[in-house]
Amino acid sequence: MAVRSASPEDIYATHPEKKVSLYFMVLGFIALTIGVIFGPFQIFNYADIDLYPALQPLFKSYYQGLTLHGVLNAIVFTQFFIQGSLLYLQARDSNVRPLMPVAWAAWWIALIGLALAAWPLLLNNATVLYTFYPPLQGHWAFYVGAALIIVSSLVSVFLSVEMWVRWKKQNPGKPTPLVTFMTTATWMMWGLAAIGLVVEAVFFLIPWSLGWIKGVDPLLARSLFWWSGHPIVYFWLLPAYVSWYGLLPRQAGGKLISDPLARMAFLGFLVFSTPVGFHHQFADPGISAFWKGVHTVLTMMVAVPSLMTAFTIAASLELAGRANGGKGMLGWIKALPWNNPSVVAQLLGAIAFIFGGAGGIVNASFTLDYVVHNTTWIPGHFHLPVATASTLTFFGIAFWLIPHITHKPLAAPRTALAGVWLWFVGMMFMAFGMHMMGLQGVPRRAHISAMSAVNDGIYASSAFYMVFNAIAGVLLTIAAVQLFYVLYATLFSRRRLPADQVPEIPFAEAISGPEGKNGVKVMDRLFFWWGAAVVLVLIVYMPTLVQLFIHMVPAPGMRLW
Amino acid sequence: MDNEKLIHAIERYERSWLLFALVMIVVFLIFIGYTLTGFAFYVPSAAERIDPTTVRNEGSLFANPRVEKTGDNVYTAYVLAQAFTFLPNEIRVPKGAKVVFYVTSPDVQHGFHIRGTNVNVQVIPGEVGKVEHTFNEAGEYLVICNEYCGLGHQDMIGKIIVEDK
């Protein structure tokens, strides 16, 4: 029945950026597939069930698996998916073709970086977790590979800004289209945020792992790491916001309420995402309480655009629900398209983010952080924004974008729907279990199911919450199988949709548009706002970093695995 | 309702929501500021920098990890967090005493979290972290390393025994 309406060549001919975007997204999903395998093992560990002996010949320890889990899911999957999807959305929104050779160069750099980093990871030569804090010292290929992955992201920054500048030249005086504005602001934010990691890798980690320098100052390395380590979370989150603002309202059957408000939120992120890293270092001696306090205030500020987003998105969804015929206080919720896996994935992701945001504000509250720092509360928290809000939204995007690009129909939509729900419910169980165990002092990043006999039972008071983790392990395993089945069955399908059934890009209209608004003109000066962000970062980081640079105490590397 | 009126209504509500959000955040910041006004001794401060390669040598402050009585009801503990143990592994102090902890590492990063308290320090080679805590209840407290430090991480656990006077 399915008419072969277009050969692959035709599909890519009009928009060659489709192919590179697809390649980025698929590479990201492959990374996610491998990284997710360790998830159930880890959550069963936190239910005091040790399944690692089963992995023994292939993977040497809990910590090797945990390193792969963090690197592949949080760093590789997120970044590659974002590089692919944002490039395509911006190109289509602004109708500007990216510099294709540069886009492919970015993909090859990413692939080579991934291969280089994967080699020591899989051979147990870089079991240093995805924060790779010195003096734990991994193999040089891990740091070089990771650095190449960051370089690839910086090429994407260039691609996005270049496209935006070209659009501006072609359309003098016009406000930047909304999705283009959001993606450009996201990449500009990352362009500033990535500097900390780049400096850490180029000046310290790589020379150190190659034996050119004897040691690295661990506090300086941490400080540079968290320069990037916080905004990287916004780099994972903002592409989900792009979809929630720019596409989801239309997918839900309505319109975005306010275009200028969406821009304002993104400007907030552009300016405030980076100068906040010390909230990951509240427990570090050697950083003054004054600057920790300043970063506390700025971290609270960066919560504001998310609180704004909560209102705008919820209001847009309410209008969509009412447009679909929903009545009464809650009737609009029922009237949303709950049969569409792409919409449901994003809605559930957004709901999870409410709890994720609340926990985040706790973590940001300086002295409150001592209650939860480095306990299981933290992974309990960040599996809500990253592993649920972003990841589910990315699946939601893939559910229409991959059929859109490949002309292949989404395989098994009902399975997709079930997978999305189970993922959400599983993450909720896990978040509850892990948050509560954290409050009882159970440490994160620990193979607690394999403790020696002397220490046996010291976390027994958390037994009740461990049950939640065990249930989460079962639910999330089933969910992962369903989601990946749908994904790969779609990609490997031989069916092609007839041209008139290929999903379009659901760019949403705004009820209150950008035209004729003075604020939009001011907000459109992205380079100015980026400059403001740079100044703010210099103010809050330089006093501490200069001190640390002047008084370095290098520590020699160690391999304790 | 036509669009103009609708937008107007929504914008009004959004402004109220944002105002509420900002007020809430300011209240949080005031509470945080309050905790910092003189009783947050558990906020780690830097005592000094120290060379991690010689921290165990004769003459170093940490050559002999120990607890000392340093004042009227004040004890000072010099703690070495190393792979995969705390030295001294057992600290004994009387109930109600103020304990000043100096903690550092000779190898990689560790955590120093006294379970059930707000003492939660990142132990960084090259840094001497300082925190204070007064134990008002007798009993056994566990010190948990909560920063991954290698294969023995999950078993890196120390003890503080607070004795009834």
Side-chain angles (χ1 to χ4, degrees):
Chain A
M1 194 188 88
V3 186
R4 289 189 67 106
S5 60
S7 69
E9 295 74 48
D10 299 335
I11 292 169
Y12 298 128
T14 45
H15 290 285
E17 67 271 18
K18 276 184 175 175
K19 196 169 181 177
V20 72
S21 293
L22 183 68
Y23 272 50
F24 260 122
M25 289 188 284
V26 169
L27 197 59
F29 275 119
I30 292 170
L32 184 71
T33 313
I34 301 167
V36 159
I37 289 172
F38 300 97
F41 287 84
Q42 286 156 208
I43 197 63
F44 282 123
N45 166 61
Y46 275 108
D48 206 17
I49 300 166
D50 187 18
L51 299 176
Y52 282 85
L55 288 178
Q56 203 46 249
L58 230 47
F59 300 102
K60 303 302 175 210
S61 70
Y62 174 81
Y63 302 104
Q64 186 191 3
L66 187 59
T67 307
L68 282 159
H69 183 77
V71 170
L72 292 175
N73 295 351
I75 297 176
V76 177
F77 159 64
T78 47
Q79 182 189 312
F80 291 3
F81 184 85
I82 291 162
Q83 285 178 284
S85 58
L86 288 196
L87 180 79
Y88 186 65
L89 289 178
Q90 183 178 344
R92 294 305 300 272
D93 179 56
S94 61
N95 207 12
V96 173
R97 180 169 297 173
L99 299 173
M100 287 311 295
V102 182
W104 279 109
W107 187 81
W108 280 103
I109 295 169
L111 179 70
I112 294 165
L114 176 59
L116 213 50
W119 159 47
L121 285 176
L122 293 170
L123 293 179
N124 198 28
N125 285 324
T127 298
V128 292
L129 306 191
Y130 76 129
T131 42
F132 43 82
Y133 294 143
L136 283 174
Q137 189 177 35
H139 191 274
W140 64 266
F142 173 69
Y143 300 113
V144 174
L148 285 176
I149 291 173
I150 304 168
V151 167
S152 172
S153 75
L154 293 177
V155 177
S156 285
V157 174
F158 167 78
L159 279 167
S160 168
V161 174
E162 190 276 335
M163 282 162 70
W164 176 66
V165 169
R166 208 150 20 108
W167 184 91
K168 273 293 207 194
K169 277 196 190 128
Q170 292 164 1
N171 298 275
K174 281 197 209 162
T176 307
L178 179 62
V179 168
T180 304
F181 181 91
M182 293 191 287
T183 56
T184 311
T186 302
W187 280 118
M188 279 187 169
M189 181 280 285
W190 177 243
L192 170 61
I195 293 170
L197 260 179
V198 169
V199 172
E200 189 197 6
V202 171
F203 291 102
F204 298 103
L205 299 180
I206 292 173
W208 176 56
S209 63
L210 289 166
W212 300 344
I213 55 173
K214 289 280 164 260
V216 170
D217 183 316
L219 182 60
L220 177 56
R222 280 176 70 82
S223 303
L224 290 168
F225 181 88
W226 288 114
W227 166 314
S228 304
H230 192 72
I232 202 172
V233 182
Y234 289 110
F235 173 55
W236 301 333
L237 194 63
L238 293 190
Y241 280 20
V242 169
S243 181
W244 296 354
Y245 276 114
L247 310 161
L248 180 61
R250 162 119 165 244
Q251 288 182 291
K255 292 176 179 174
L256 173 65
I257 291 180
S258 169
D259 167 301
L261 277 176
R263 291 170 199 257
M264 210 191 288
F266 272 75
L267 272 193
F269 286 118
L270 174 59
V271 175
F272 290 114
S273 286
T274 311
V276 297
F278 289 169
H279 77 242
H280 292 263
Q281 297 181 276
F282 285 143
D284 289 20
I287 291 175
S288 81
F290 170 76
W291 286 112
K292 287 175 182 171
V294 171
H295 283 230
T296 301
V297 175
L298 289 166
T299 309
M300 291 293 181
M301 289 306 298
V302 82
V304 173
S306 281
L307 289 162
M308 239 171 97
T309 302
F311 185 96
T312 311
I313 299 301
S316 300
L317 290 171
E318 179 179 346
L319 288 191
R322 298 206 185 281
N324 297 344
K327 298 258 185 291
M329 184 133 101
L330 298 171
W332 61 271
I333 298 176
K334 248 180 91 180
L336 292 171
W338 290 100
N339 57 355
N340 178 340
S342 173
V343 172
V344 175
Q346 300 184 62
L347 293 179
L348 296 179
I351 291 168
F353 191 61
I354 297 171
F355 302 101
I361 289 174
V362 170
N363 303 340
S365 300
F366 200 166
T367 44
L368 262 187
D369 183 57
Y370 300 110
V371 180
V372 297
H373 173 70
N374 272 355
T375 69
T376 57
W377 168 287
I378 302 298
H381 156 69
F382 69 62
H383 277 77
L384 295 172
V386 181
T388 315
S390 291
T391 304
L392 276 182
T393 300
F394 294 173
F395 268 103
I397 295 170
F399 287 159
W400 68 261
L401 184 51
I402 289 178
H404 165 84
I405 288 180
T406 61
H407 292 207
K408 294 175 178 183
L410 180 69
R414 291 176 69 89
T415 309
L417 207 52
V420 161
W421 271 104
L422 274 185
W423 186 274
F424 171 76
V425 175
M427 283 295 176
M428 286 310 210
F429 269 88
M430 173 186 153
F432 182 71
M434 295 289 273
H435 274 94
M436 296 308 289
M437 286 172 74
L439 291 179
Q440 300 186 337
V442 179
R444 72 188 284 194
R445 302 180 156 181
H447 195 184
I448 63 160
S449 59
M451 287 167 67
S452 66
V454 253
N455 293 322
D456 212 31
I458 68 170
Y459 303 125
S461 61
S462 295
F464 175 69
Y465 302 116
M466 290 182 180
V467 176
F468 287 83
N469 289 337
I471 295 169
V474 175
L475 297 179
L476 287 167
T477 306
I478 302 169
V481 169
Q482 289 176 318
L483 290 175
F484 287 119
Y485 167 75
V486 170
L487 193 71
Y488 292 113
T490 305
L491 285 168
F492 288 120
S493 162
R494 292 176 156 214
R495 290 174 55 209
R496 302 259 180 194
L497 290 164
D500 60 337
Q501 285 179 28
V502 174
E504 284 176 33
I505 307 176
F507 288 128
E509 269 182 74
I511 300 178
S512 167
E515 293 80 17
K517 301 236 166 73
N518 281 329
V520 169
K521 268 189 200 146
V522 176
M523 289 194 282
D524 231 15
R525 300 169 67 180
L526 281 172
F527 284 124
F528 169 80
W529 294 108
W530 191 80
V534 172
V535 170
L536 195 53
V537 169
L538 290 178
I539 291 171
V540 304
Y541 264 111
M542 278 310 127
T544 307
L545 285 184
V546 168
Q547 279 297 315
L548 289 174
F549 266 110
I550 294 173
H551 303 289
M552 276 200 276
V553 182
M558 309 229 169
R559 175 177 170 145
L560 300 178
W561 68 89
Chain B
M1 219 185 324
D2 65 84
N3 273 351
E4 271 309 306
K5 265 164 94 182
L6 185 70
I7 278 293
H8 204 68
I10 290 171
E11 277 175 355
R12 212 173 54 236
Y13 281 120
E14 171 134 30
R15 264 199 296 278
S16 317
W17 162 250
L18 278 181
L19 185 69
F20 167 73
L22 277 170
V23 167
M24 184 175 74
I25 281 174
V26 169
V27 169
F28 290 167
L29 287 171
I30 290 169
F31 282 155
I32 295 165
Y34 172 67
T35 65
L36 289 168
T37 54
F39 62 89
F41 298 112
Y42 48 84
V43 175
S45 61
E48 59 180 300
R49 305 214 77 179
I50 196 165
D51 184 349
T53 57
T54 60
V55 71
R56 277 181 286 206
N57 294 0
E58 274 311 311
S60 153
L61 205 54
F62 293 88
N64 173 30
R66 65 205 176 273
V67 195
E68 283 173 5
K69 191 162 195 290
T70 45
D72 191 19
N73 216 19
V74 180
Y75 290 75
T76 302
Y78 297 93
V79 179
L80 211 49
Q82 62 178 31
F84 300 104
T85 180
F86 293 98
L87 295 176
N89 199 248
E90 201 177 284
I91 291 172
R92 276 176 192 272
V93 287
K95 186 174 124 176
K98 179 166 97 176
V99 189
V100 183
F101 295 94
Y102 290 94
V103 52
T104 193
S105 160
D107 42 52
V108 297
Q109 294 186 33
H110 298 283
F112 182 80
H113 183 197
I114 305 176
R115 191 159 77 158
T117 75
N118 277 351
V119 174
N120 195 344
V121 186
Q122 191 78 24
V123 186
I124 302 174
E127 292 289 329
V128 179
K130 180 191 173 195
V131 282
E132 293 176 21
H133 187 71
T134 303
F135 292 91
N136 287 322
E137 268 176 60
E140 189 180 294
Y141 293 77
L142 291 178
V143 182
I144 293 169
C145 171
N146 59 14
E147 183 59 64
Y148 166 66
C149 53
L151 291 184
H153 169 51
Q154 68 275 4
D155 279 315
M156 183 166 164
I157 288 158
K159 254 184 213 166
I160 296 172
I161 293 164
V162 179
E163 294 167 324
D164 256 321
K165 276 185 279 193

